[in-house]
Amino acid sequence: MKQFETRFRHVDVFPMVKHFMDQLDLFSLFSKYVPATSDSLADHTESLCILTANIICDNKPLYKVKEWLSNYSDGIVDKPLEANLFNDDRLARALSALFHADRHSLMTEVSSNAIGVHKLLTDEIHNDSTSVTFIGDYQTPDADAVKLKHGHNKDFRPDCKQVVFGLNITADGHVPLSYKLFDGNTTDDVTHIPNWNGLRTLLQKEDFIYVADCKLCSQNNLTHIAQNGGYFITIVPKDRKEVKAFLKQLKTDDLQFKDAYQVESSRKKGKVNIFKTHEAGRTKNGFRIIWVHSSSKYEDDQVRRQKKIDKVIGALKELSPKLNAYHLKTKKEIKATVDHICKSVKEFVDVEILTERKQVKVKISPGRPSYKSVYKNKWEFKYSLKWELNQQALLDASKTDGLFPLITNTDLEACEVLKKYKSQPFLEKRMYTKKTVLEVAPVFLKKVKRIEAILFLYFVALMIVSLIERKIRMNMAKAKIEKLPILPQAMNTKKPTWNNIRYFFRNVHYSQIIRDGLCIQSMVKGLNDLHEQINRLLEVPDSVYKNLQPDWWQFKYT
């Protein structure tokens, strides 16, 4: 009697990810830089490709990658067969081999492939850094690896050790081009010169515009870039003398700001953010300072200040009934408490401590009161508070609301300098993607060299995710497609993210009908017209999904 069996394997976004990995020629590059020994059952190249795909598709710790892979290679079975080769020991050895490889050259070739295949523009590069936090002691550092140390933790975990992860992305699609790891206690200001030098080597040019946050604004950093033929745009910290001098001048002079551009607010629907600029001369090094006025920031600054004032006044009202008792009996004690409360808005709230004095008789003789008792007169003090707003200080402060200064050595119009700087938040979104969608932490690894190696794979994964998002959004704009219904409950999105695409492809699977141990029919199920439209927008060929073979999940030379 013939035996029939139906088998199901996961497909979801894995073929799409493989397609983008093949475009970057990752398999060949891993083979070139991380060769395996001849007696390996599974080589390093296949292991590293599988690890990268796992990070992008459904990030799992090393000990669960085999289980994840078995859903694609063996289907829903009790014991994985083909995936058994890729256990946590096999993957960990591949990471160790990657650590000892020439990762800088490997990164350069991957980035060059991305620039060439996807025609990325590299005339504007944005830089930022974040901390990757690790839970555990990590008391045995590797002399050759980055040092896990305590530092300024951007995940608000100062109790944990960390490394500093610096990332460079293009303005064109916000695609990561390079990254650099620093010891956990490294401050951001010292990372920019080695980072800029690395970018110059990667791009083989100096005249790109380097955009970064205020940590770039040091004399050493700016002078190094300018003297080597580079361009920069960054924000000037508030404590610089140029900023203080301009704000002081603004309180007395009526300076003219030019209209730059306006854009709809991304946070408040229906609101328009209007930007204006003012050229404030040059620094002693000849760098331009451009002051920007943002209508949205103007409102936010006023609301933020008013909230602080309201909070202080509320605290003063709570304090008033508590005077003249316990630790608030003397004027000195009261003044110290008031100064502490008003610290954040001391220039806007004038507080006066009122003193009421009256004379009282105090018995000084011993015993019970009687006609023989002796009394003396004594002054008794009672304190109260009176406060009012300093209207002149509020008026002066309102003149500086909504302002922030940019510094640059470019010859661009002020409005163009501002537009380029305003792309900086997209870099923060890439950091957000790395920490949430790709779940860079926690890292389930004990050896620091393997941690450093897997962070390289996270960089590659982030590059591929960014290329996918860039491709679909670019082609949606070309095809004049405003939105796609790929969110839960078929809701629309105007800017599809990798998380949206991954969710929408979750039910795509590979079905096989088996008769007497032989596959007599196979097909991909779960693909509808919208899935095919997304593949067209991503320029993924139909064959990637429709011509799958049983071993499609493997990475091979193409």
Side-chain angles (χ1 to χ4, degrees):
M1 185 176 179
K2 295 181 179 180
Q3 296 291 328
F4 287 87
E5 180 186 359
T6 304
R7 294 180 186 174
F8 298 97
R9 301 186 188 186
H10 286 189
V11 172
D12 50 65
V13 289
F14 200 168
M16 178 194 305
V17 171
K18 280 181 87 267
H19 172 72
F20 276 84
M21 291 175 68
D22 290 341
Q23 285 185 326
L24 300 181
D25 203 17
L26 278 180
F27 188 91
S28 298
L29 291 177
F30 281 139
S31 299
K32 176 181 176 181
Y33 288 96
V34 198
T37 56
S38 57
D39 58 344
S40 297
L41 293 176
D43 61 16
H44 296 325
T45 302
E46 185 90 2
S47 300
L48 293 173
C49 286
I50 286 172
L51 264 178
T52 305
N54 171 254
I55 292 171
I56 300 171
C57 296
D58 186 18
N59 190 23
K60 298 289 185 186
L62 258 59
Y63 64 87
K64 285 190 175 182
V65 171
K66 179 179 69 174
E67 177 186 333
W68 166 80
L69 184 60
S70 68
N71 292 328
Y72 301 95
S73 63
D74 307 315
I76 313 299
V77 294
D78 294 331
K79 293 183 180 179
L81 302 174
E82 294 180 281
N84 260 338
L85 293 176
F86 302 97
N87 54 41
D88 53 346
D89 289 334
R90 169 66 262 157
L91 299 174
R93 286 193 292 272
L95 288 175
S96 296
L98 177 60
F99 173 79
H100 293 292
D102 184 1
R103 280 172 285 126
H104 185 269
S105 297
L106 175 56
M107 178 183 69
T108 301
E109 289 207 41
V110 172
S111 299
S112 297
N113 288 348
I115 293 170
V117 172
H118 293 271
K119 297 179 174 56
L120 298 176
L121 302 178
T122 58
D123 54 347
E124 181 184 338
I125 305 295
H126 292 253
N127 170 266
D128 198 8
S129 63
T130 189
S131 54
V132 180
T133 304
F134 298 89
I135 297 175
D137 289 337
Y138 291 96
Q139 294 180 350
T140 55
D142 192 310
D144 299 324
V146 67
K147 305 296 186 296
L148 273 65
K149 292 182 175 290
H150 293 285
H152 178 67
N153 190 279
K154 297 178 182 179
D155 297 324
F156 307 104
R157 289 297 304 269
D159 57 314
C160 296
K161 291 184 177 180
Q162 65 180 33
V163 295
V164 176
F165 185 95
L167 186 66
N168 300 302
I169 71 167
T170 63
D172 176 19
H174 322 297
V175 178
L177 278 190
S178 67
Y179 82 105
K180 194 169 181 63
L181 292 180
F182 301 92
D183 294 344
N185 59 352
T186 305
T187 55
D188 290 349
D189 57 324
V190 300
T191 65
H192 287 291
I193 290 177
N195 183 68
W196 187 84
N197 289 338
L199 278 172
R200 177 173 59 171
T201 303
L202 170 66
L203 302 177
Q204 295 293 301
K205 62 180 183 179
E206 296 86 16
D207 58 349
F208 59 90
I209 299 175
Y210 185 73
V211 187
D213 61 15
C214 64
K215 297 298 189 301
L216 172 62
C217 190
S218 73
Q219 186 172 348
N220 286 342
N221 292 337
L222 302 185
T223 303
H224 177 83
I225 295 173
Q227 288 180 347
N228 286 279
Y231 299 99
F232 59 80
I233 298 174
T234 187
I235 192 168
V236 185
K238 294 180 180 179
D239 59 350
R240 299 299 169 87
K241 62 181 181 181
E242 295 92 348
V243 175
K244 293 179 179 178
F246 181 81
L247 295 179
K248 185 177 180 181
Q249 178 188 1
L250 195 62
K251 291 178 181 179
T252 55
D253 300 340
D254 188 16
L255 302 178
Q256 296 297 317
F257 281 75
K258 295 181 180 178
D259 291 336
Y261 68 97
Q262 59 186 39
V263 64
E264 187 176 352
S265 174
S266 59
R267 297 181 181 178
K268 301 174 183 176
K269 286 188 177 181
K271 282 236 174 188
V272 175
N273 192 5
I274 301 172
F275 292 100
K276 298 180 180 182
T277 60
H278 173 79
E279 290 267 3
R282 295 178 179 264
T283 66
K284 62 181 181 180
N285 294 317
F287 304 143
R288 297 164 59 200
I289 294 183
I290 300 170
W291 280 88
V292 180
H293 182 276
S294 163
S295 61
S296 177
K297 187 176 186 298
Y298 176 82
E299 294 176 4
D300 291 343
D301 288 345
Q302 292 207 323
V303 169
R304 193 178 298 112
R305 181 171 56 247
Q306 190 58 48
K307 283 184 177 179
K308 288 182 180 180
I309 292 173
D310 292 342
K311 184 178 179 180
V312 166
I313 290 177
L316 291 174
K317 288 180 179 179
E318 283 187 23
L319 180 68
S320 292
K322 299 176 182 178
L323 302 182
N324 309 302
Y326 299 106
H327 60 283
L328 295 172
K329 290 182 179 180
T330 67
K331 190 172 185 178
K332 183 178 179 181
E333 292 173 333
I334 295 171
K335 186 178 185 306
T337 304
V338 169
D339 289 346
H340 178 72
I341 291 173
C342 299
K343 185 178 180 180
S344 61
V345 293
K346 59 183 179 181
E347 67 270 35
F348 305 125
V349 181
D350 296 329
V351 182
E352 184 180 358
I353 302 175
L354 304 177
T355 304
E356 181 183 343
R357 189 180 71 165
K358 67 178 181 179
Q359 197 174 53
V360 294
K361 286 186 176 182
V362 180
K363 181 176 175 296
I364 60 173
S365 57
R368 294 181 178 181
S370 66
Y371 67 93
K372 295 181 179 181
S373 296
V374 178
Y375 294 85
K376 76 170 184 177
N377 292 328
K378 184 179 178 182
W379 290 105
E380 187 178 83
F381 298 91
K382 191 174 182 180
Y383 301 101
S384 60
L385 297 177
K386 179 185 177 183
W387 59 83
E388 63 180 358
L389 297 181
N390 187 329
Q391 298 297 335
Q392 185 59 46
L394 288 171
L395 180 62
D396 291 342
S398 68
K399 294 180 180 179
T400 63
D401 286 341
L403 293 175
F404 61 92
L406 299 177
I407 187 169
T408 183
N409 66 335
T410 66
D411 294 326
L412 298 171
E413 291 289 334
C415 62
E416 291 301 317
V417 173
L418 173 61
K419 285 179 180 179
K420 291 186 180 299
Y421 179 77
K422 291 301 287 182
S423 296
Q424 189 71 1
F426 289 105
L427 177 52
E428 296 175 6
K429 295 236 175 162
R430 286 290 167 247
M431 296 297 193
Y432 173 82
T433 301
K434 180 172 71 73
K435 290 191 174 185
T436 56
V437 178
L438 301 184
E439 299 177 7
V440 70
V443 175
F444 296 94
L445 295 170
K446 293 182 179 179
K447 295 185 178 180
V448 179
K449 62 183 181 181
R450 291 175 179 172
I451 290 173
E452 187 170 336
I454 204 169
L455 286 176
F456 177 88
L457 299 184
Y458 272 100
F459 161 74
V460 175
L462 189 59
M463 175 188 287
I464 292 170
V465 166
S466 304
L467 289 171
I468 291 173
E469 292 183 355
R470 172 183 179 271
K471 180 70 71 176
I472 192 170
R473 295 176 186 180
M474 186 173 64
N475 286 333
M476 282 176 66
K478 285 182 181 177
K480 297 182 180 180
I481 299 173
E482 185 179 356
K483 49 195 175 182
L484 291 171
I486 62 174
L487 298 183
Q489 299 182 8
M491 291 187 293
N492 289 301
T493 176
K494 293 182 179 179
K495 294 183 178 180
T497 65
W498 171 242
N499 216 22
N500 302 151
I501 297 170
R502 190 170 63 176
Y503 171 83
F504 188 66
F505 275 74
R506 71 194 185 283
N507 292 325
V508 180
H509 61 278
Y510 183 68
S511 174
Q512 290 179 302
I513 299 176
I514 309 296
R515 182 176 66 185
D516 295 335
L518 296 175
C519 178
I520 61 172
Q521 186 179 1
S522 64
M523 66 186 72
V524 175
K525 292 188 174 182
L527 281 177
N528 58 31
D529 293 341
L530 187 53
H531 289 99
E532 293 178 1
Q533 182 184 15
I534 291 172
N535 281 335
R536 286 194 298 273
L537 291 171
L538 290 171
E539 298 178 15
V540 175
D542 291 341
S543 58
V544 168
Y545 272 91
K546 293 185 177 179
N547 296 341
L548 292 183
Q549 300 299 319
D551 61 346
W552 66 267
W553 57 274
Q554 295 180 352
F555 290 84
K556 303 174 183 177
Y557 285 106
T558 55

